[in-house]
Amino acid sequence: MTRQRLLLILLIGAAGVALGWVLTTTLSRTLQTTEAAPGGEEESEPDPSPAAPPEGTDPAVPRIQATLFFGSADGRGLVGVEREVPFAEGVVGQARALVEAQLAAEPPDSLVRTIPDGTTLRALFVTDRNEAFIDLDATVRDRHPGGSLNELLTVYTLVNVVTTNLPDIQRVQILIDGREADTLAGHVDLRRPLRKNEALILTP
Amino acid sequence: MRRAIARVTAGLLALVAVGEAPARATQPSDAFLRVLTREEVRRLPIVQAEAQEYVPLDEIARMFGLSVREDRLAGGVTVAGATGRQIILTANQPVVSVAGRLVSLGTGPVREGTRWLVPLDFLQRALGPALDTRMELRRESRLVVVGDLRVPRVNVRVEAPPGRAVVSFEIRPAAPARVALEPGHLLVTIEADTLDLALPRVSPQDFIQTIEPGPSPTTIRIVPGPKFGLHRATTSQSDPAASRLVVELLPPGTEAPAPAPPEPSAAPTPPAADPLSLPTPGVRTVVIDPGHGGDDTGARGPGGTLEKDVTLAVARRLRTMIESRLGLRVFLTRDDDRTLSLDDRAAYANSQKADVFLSIHANAAARPSLRGAEVYYLGIDPDEADTPGGSAGAQLPALGGGTRSIALVPWDVAQLAYLDESAALAGLVRQALGERVELSDRPVQQLPLRVLVGASMPAVLVEIGYLSNPDQERALASAAYQDQVAQALYDALVRFRARRERTATAGDQAQR
């Protein structure tokens, strides 16, 4: 009887150690990562309303006012436009909601798209140095029309939409297909995180 | 109760087992990464996976005595060395944590079956800092230099002007070199621990038969041809980072050879007595970079004009103008329709020791109304200068014994040292363009441009007009407009050269 009890205690202890190990190694990760799963299954961000889709018009999803960016009517800069985007818990979740809203957003009549149609977000993570990494699929490069100005507007739409709406995030780096990319179309250096570019933002 | 515990344990085991990733299409290649330490040369296999090069993590661990602990549940692995600093890697994530600091790699590590593969730059960017050891990756020569070894890169070039052969050795970082005539060959010895040697293929000629690695790791053997009689060697140091040895193979009886050989890049160092007779810091070599090329067409106008064609046409016109009127050395990064990486363009300018780098492009916008030329120079975050590896010094053995701390400027921010001059050059280009063609309303901009970052000289990128504007597209394709642009860039270059010479003279006078 005492031997059985001892065995039981040992087993509980072993299970506890295993669980503890799993927990600590998972927590020791410095990256807060969320995969951009289409179903909106988000694990690392506890959400009071689970199963909430990240996009769409579900009235149950709380929404916030945010500034999205489009090319100006004359094409020479960016114009900020107030739009409603889904609210998300935490910086990572909100950054993801913002980028997804930006990728899907249709510009108002006079303005133009700056990001190739069909570009999707693969993942987004934020480092402990307050740098956001936006991982896009290769559409953003493959369907890019080229030209320095076009490229600048694409890159800084993404950088500015995150840094403008989430002031905690200082810099943004764009990855393509999970990898560090040289450039989108041969000009702007994407190997380092970029700061917000105010000069490209025009006042309407 | 016991059954419940058994179920929990089984569940945990199942969770651990689920982490197994599907096998990936990897190919072991014949390639090796040579790892050079003071004691020995060892080899790490290079594995190809999805068109990227990797090194197996277990091989690295064995070589450097690291402990590797995999966490399948989280899809990651923890690597620790003797220093106790940990590296945490996550599958397919190009950012790794080194002792709590984040470091970005060219590509993320991948898991292949039971093996972990890490990109080559893992060694320099993650393992070096974790082990507190300098690890320099030289991708081109598939070499990793560990510790404070002196392994200069030696680029050898052979030229055969009439009546002799000229072999030049560019040694980077600088190291003393000497030549000795030995039976049957000339032996070049470079003071270093070993060499990272790039030898050209030589077809036997009158004055040179072949050039090959010598009997020891720091020597190179030149085997002369049948007409060889005597040799002449000159050494020079045209910039602090590199030295140069030029060996001329001459016919017999050339006792009093003609004055200075026409080897403009050699910049032979005259007797150092008179500072005024040092090479003038004007402009001797210009590298023009026609943007895009090959598969990369760049922007396309509504009428079908391609940026890559326009940039090449203007670059060629500009080259002719500079060569014929100024007599400077001019090189194009590409002289035909070929694909060329952005790194190679700046690296080419560096290897030619160019004094000016001009990258030529044509712009495009979403609206056709935009028009006009613009010029850009590098704009980079002020705190970029101290990103990984940026300001880290290195202890290098100094001549005459001892060590010396040297601030290493990583090649990927080489342009930082030239920003002031690049800004001045951009100003002159803007002025000259404005005299001949239409400017946009933002004629000078400072931007994080990839092609300029690695250039070790004043460098600008010129957007010569908007292909997306139908009028400008027609102009850009026309000889008349291309000539106007080339003439403007030529004017800017003449003014920039004058400015450099003026600045140098002023500096000399201030020193006296």
Side-chain angles (χ1 to χ4, degrees), chain B residues 298-329:
Chain B
R300 177 193 292 266
T305 309
L306 297 180
E307 181 181 359
K308 65 173 184 177
D309 298 331
V310 174
T311 59
L312 182 58
V314 171
R316 284 178 174 155
R317 280 170 201 273
L318 177 57
R319 172 176 59 188
T320 310
M321 280 182 198
I322 300 172
E323 271 178 351
S324 59
R325 299 191 219 160
L326 294 180
L328 303 179
R329 298 204 314 156

Short mmCIF file of all heavy atoms in Angstrom, two decimals, chain B residues 298-329:
data_model
loop_
_atom_site.label_atom_id
_atom_site.label_comp_id
_atom_site.label_asym_id
_atom_site.label_seq_id
_atom_site.Cartn_x
_atom_site.Cartn_y
_atom_site.Cartn_z
N GLY B 298 12.34 46.28 -64.37
CA GLY B 298 12.07 47.58 -63.77
C GLY B 298 10.68 48.04 -64.16
O GLY B 298 9.81 47.21 -64.45
N ALA B 299 10.48 49.34 -64.18
CA ALA B 299 9.15 49.87 -64.50
C ALA B 299 8.90 49.76 -66.01
O ALA B 299 9.83 49.63 -66.80
CB ALA B 299 9.05 51.32 -64.04
N ARG B 300 7.61 49.81 -66.38
CA ARG B 300 7.23 49.72 -67.78
C ARG B 300 6.28 50.86 -68.09
O ARG B 300 5.31 51.08 -67.38
CB ARG B 300 6.52 48.38 -68.03
CG ARG B 300 6.01 48.17 -69.44
CD ARG B 300 5.06 46.98 -69.49
NE ARG B 300 5.77 45.73 -69.25
CZ ARG B 300 6.26 44.95 -70.23
NH1 ARG B 300 6.09 45.29 -71.48
NH2 ARG B 300 6.89 43.83 -69.93
N GLY B 301 6.56 51.59 -69.15
CA GLY B 301 5.69 52.70 -69.54
C GLY B 301 4.43 52.19 -70.22
O GLY B 301 4.39 51.03 -70.64
N PRO B 302 3.38 53.05 -70.33
CA PRO B 302 2.14 52.59 -70.97
C PRO B 302 2.39 52.18 -72.43
O PRO B 302 1.68 51.34 -72.97
CB PRO B 302 1.22 53.81 -70.88
CG PRO B 302 2.10 54.97 -70.55
CD PRO B 302 3.30 54.42 -69.85
N GLY B 303 3.41 52.74 -73.07
CA GLY B 303 3.73 52.37 -74.44
C GLY B 303 4.67 51.18 -74.54
O GLY B 303 5.08 50.80 -75.63
N GLY B 304 5.04 50.61 -73.40
CA GLY B 304 5.86 49.40 -73.42
C GLY B 304 7.35 49.64 -73.23
O GLY B 304 8.14 48.70 -73.24
N THR B 305 7.77 50.91 -73.07
CA THR B 305 9.20 51.18 -72.85
C THR B 305 9.63 50.61 -71.50
O THR B 305 8.95 50.80 -70.50
CB THR B 305 9.45 52.70 -72.86
OG1 THR B 305 8.85 53.23 -74.03
CG2 THR B 305 10.94 53.01 -72.86
N LEU B 306 10.77 49.91 -71.50
CA LEU B 306 11.23 49.29 -70.27
C LEU B 306 12.33 50.11 -69.63
O LEU B 306 13.24 50.60 -70.30
CB LEU B 306 11.75 47.88 -70.55
CG LEU B 306 10.73 46.89 -71.09
CD1 LEU B 306 11.38 45.54 -71.33
CD2 LEU B 306 9.56 46.74 -70.11
N GLU B 307 12.24 50.20 -68.30
CA GLU B 307 13.24 50.95 -67.55
C GLU B 307 14.64 50.42 -67.80
O GLU B 307 15.59 51.19 -67.98
CB GLU B 307 12.90 50.88 -66.05
CG GLU B 307 13.86 51.67 -65.17
CD GLU B 307 13.55 51.57 -63.67
OE1 GLU B 307 12.59 50.89 -63.30
OE2 GLU B 307 14.31 52.16 -62.89
N LYS B 308 14.78 49.09 -67.85
CA LYS B 308 16.13 48.52 -67.97
C LYS B 308 16.82 48.94 -69.27
O LYS B 308 18.04 49.05 -69.32
CB LYS B 308 16.07 46.99 -67.88
CG LYS B 308 15.32 46.31 -69.02
CD LYS B 308 15.45 44.79 -68.92
CE LYS B 308 14.78 44.13 -70.13
NZ LYS B 308 14.94 42.68 -70.12
N ASP B 309 16.03 49.17 -70.35
CA ASP B 309 16.63 49.58 -71.62
C ASP B 309 17.05 51.05 -71.59
O ASP B 309 18.11 51.41 -72.09
CB ASP B 309 15.63 49.37 -72.76
CG ASP B 309 15.25 47.89 -72.91
OD1 ASP B 309 16.10 47.05 -72.56
OD2 ASP B 309 14.12 47.60 -73.34
N VAL B 310 16.18 51.89 -71.01
CA VAL B 310 16.47 53.32 -70.95
C VAL B 310 17.72 53.56 -70.09
O VAL B 310 18.61 54.34 -70.47
CB VAL B 310 15.26 54.07 -70.35
CG1 VAL B 310 15.60 55.53 -70.13
CG2 VAL B 310 14.05 53.92 -71.24
N THR B 311 17.81 52.87 -68.96
CA THR B 311 18.94 53.13 -68.06
C THR B 311 20.26 52.71 -68.71
O THR B 311 21.26 53.41 -68.58
CB THR B 311 18.77 52.36 -66.73
OG1 THR B 311 18.67 50.96 -66.98
CG2 THR B 311 17.54 52.82 -65.99
N LEU B 312 20.24 51.61 -69.46
CA LEU B 312 21.47 51.16 -70.12
C LEU B 312 21.89 52.15 -71.21
O LEU B 312 23.07 52.48 -71.36
CB LEU B 312 21.26 49.75 -70.70
CG LEU B 312 22.49 49.13 -71.37
CD1 LEU B 312 23.67 49.05 -70.41
CD2 LEU B 312 22.17 47.73 -71.91
N ALA B 313 20.90 52.64 -71.96
CA ALA B 313 21.21 53.58 -73.04
C ALA B 313 21.85 54.85 -72.49
O ALA B 313 22.86 55.34 -73.02
CB ALA B 313 19.93 53.91 -73.82
N VAL B 314 21.28 55.38 -71.41
CA VAL B 314 21.84 56.61 -70.83
C VAL B 314 23.23 56.34 -70.25
O VAL B 314 24.16 57.13 -70.42
CB VAL B 314 20.89 57.17 -69.75
CG1 VAL B 314 21.54 58.32 -68.99
CG2 VAL B 314 19.58 57.63 -70.38
N ALA B 315 23.40 55.19 -69.60
CA ALA B 315 24.69 54.86 -69.00
C ALA B 315 25.78 54.79 -70.08
O ALA B 315 26.89 55.29 -69.89
CB ALA B 315 24.60 53.53 -68.26
N ARG B 316 25.44 54.20 -71.21
CA ARG B 316 26.44 54.10 -72.29
C ARG B 316 26.80 55.48 -72.83
O ARG B 316 27.97 55.77 -73.10
CB ARG B 316 25.89 53.23 -73.42
CG ARG B 316 25.92 51.74 -73.08
CD ARG B 316 25.33 50.94 -74.21
NE ARG B 316 25.45 49.51 -73.99
CZ ARG B 316 24.64 48.62 -74.54
NH1 ARG B 316 23.64 49.01 -75.32
NH2 ARG B 316 24.82 47.34 -74.31
N ARG B 317 25.80 56.32 -73.02
CA ARG B 317 26.09 57.68 -73.51
C ARG B 317 26.99 58.42 -72.54
O ARG B 317 27.95 59.09 -72.93
CB ARG B 317 24.78 58.47 -73.68
CG ARG B 317 24.05 58.12 -74.94
CD ARG B 317 22.65 58.74 -74.97
NE ARG B 317 21.84 57.99 -75.92
CZ ARG B 317 21.79 58.24 -77.22
NH1 ARG B 317 22.48 59.25 -77.72
NH2 ARG B 317 21.05 57.51 -78.02
N LEU B 318 26.66 58.29 -71.25
CA LEU B 318 27.44 58.99 -70.23
C LEU B 318 28.88 58.46 -70.21
O LEU B 318 29.84 59.23 -70.10
CB LEU B 318 26.77 58.80 -68.87
CG LEU B 318 27.48 59.42 -67.67
CD1 LEU B 318 27.69 60.91 -67.86
CD2 LEU B 318 26.67 59.17 -66.39
N ARG B 319 29.03 57.15 -70.34
CA ARG B 319 30.38 56.58 -70.33
C ARG B 319 31.22 57.17 -71.47
O ARG B 319 32.36 57.59 -71.27
CB ARG B 319 30.32 55.06 -70.50
CG ARG B 319 31.72 54.45 -70.68
CD ARG B 319 31.70 52.96 -70.76
NE ARG B 319 30.87 52.49 -71.87
CZ ARG B 319 30.56 51.22 -72.07
NH1 ARG B 319 31.00 50.30 -71.23
NH2 ARG B 319 29.81 50.86 -73.08
N THR B 320 30.64 57.23 -72.66
CA THR B 320 31.37 57.76 -73.81
C THR B 320 31.80 59.20 -73.54
O THR B 320 32.94 59.59 -73.82
CB THR B 320 30.48 57.70 -75.06
OG1 THR B 320 29.95 56.39 -75.14
CG2 THR B 320 31.26 58.02 -76.31
N MET B 321 30.88 60.01 -73.00
CA MET B 321 31.21 61.42 -72.73
C MET B 321 32.37 61.53 -71.75
O MET B 321 33.31 62.30 -71.97
CB MET B 321 30.00 62.13 -72.12
CG MET B 321 28.97 62.55 -73.14
SD MET B 321 27.65 63.42 -72.26
CE MET B 321 26.37 63.31 -73.51
N ILE B 322 32.30 60.77 -70.67
CA ILE B 322 33.34 60.90 -69.63
C ILE B 322 34.68 60.41 -70.17
O ILE B 322 35.72 61.06 -70.00
CB ILE B 322 32.97 60.09 -68.37
CG1 ILE B 322 31.66 60.60 -67.78
CG2 ILE B 322 34.07 60.18 -67.34
CD1 ILE B 322 31.11 59.74 -66.66
N GLU B 323 34.66 59.27 -70.84
CA GLU B 323 35.91 58.70 -71.35
C GLU B 323 36.57 59.62 -72.35
O GLU B 323 37.77 59.88 -72.29
CB GLU B 323 35.65 57.33 -72.00
CG GLU B 323 35.74 56.18 -71.02
CD GLU B 323 35.43 54.84 -71.67
OE1 GLU B 323 34.97 54.82 -72.85
OE2 GLU B 323 35.63 53.83 -71.00
N SER B 324 35.77 60.14 -73.29
CA SER B 324 36.38 60.90 -74.38
C SER B 324 36.78 62.31 -73.94
O SER B 324 37.76 62.84 -74.41
CB SER B 324 35.44 60.95 -75.57
OG SER B 324 34.23 61.55 -75.17
N ARG B 325 36.03 62.89 -73.03
CA ARG B 325 36.33 64.29 -72.69
C ARG B 325 37.14 64.44 -71.41
O ARG B 325 37.90 65.38 -71.27
CB ARG B 325 35.03 65.07 -72.53
CG ARG B 325 34.21 65.08 -73.82
CD ARG B 325 33.09 66.07 -73.68
NE ARG B 325 31.88 65.58 -74.30
CZ ARG B 325 30.67 66.05 -74.01
NH1 ARG B 325 30.52 66.97 -73.10
NH2 ARG B 325 29.62 65.58 -74.62
N LEU B 326 36.96 63.54 -70.46
CA LEU B 326 37.68 63.69 -69.19
C LEU B 326 38.84 62.71 -69.05
O LEU B 326 39.72 62.90 -68.22
CB LEU B 326 36.72 63.49 -68.00
CG LEU B 326 35.62 64.51 -67.82
CD1 LEU B 326 34.78 64.15 -66.60
CD2 LEU B 326 36.20 65.90 -67.63
N GLY B 327 38.80 61.63 -69.82
CA GLY B 327 39.87 60.65 -69.74
C GLY B 327 39.90 59.89 -68.42
O GLY B 327 40.94 59.41 -68.00
N LEU B 328 38.76 59.79 -67.76
CA LEU B 328 38.72 59.02 -66.51
C LEU B 328 38.42 57.55 -66.82
O LEU B 328 37.97 57.22 -67.90
CB LEU B 328 37.61 59.56 -65.59
CG LEU B 328 37.66 61.03 -65.22
CD1 LEU B 328 36.48 61.37 -64.33
CD2 LEU B 328 38.97 61.33 -64.50
N ARG B 329 38.68 56.70 -65.82
CA ARG B 329 38.27 55.30 -65.97
C ARG B 329 36.77 55.23 -65.69
O ARG B 329 36.30 55.75 -64.68
CB ARG B 329 38.99 54.42 -64.95
CG ARG B 329 40.48 54.41 -65.12
CD ARG B 329 41.08 53.15 -64.55
NE ARG B 329 40.56 52.80 -63.24
CZ ARG B 329 40.57 51.56 -62.76
NH1 ARG B 329 41.06 50.58 -63.49
NH2 ARG B 329 40.11 51.30 -61.57
#
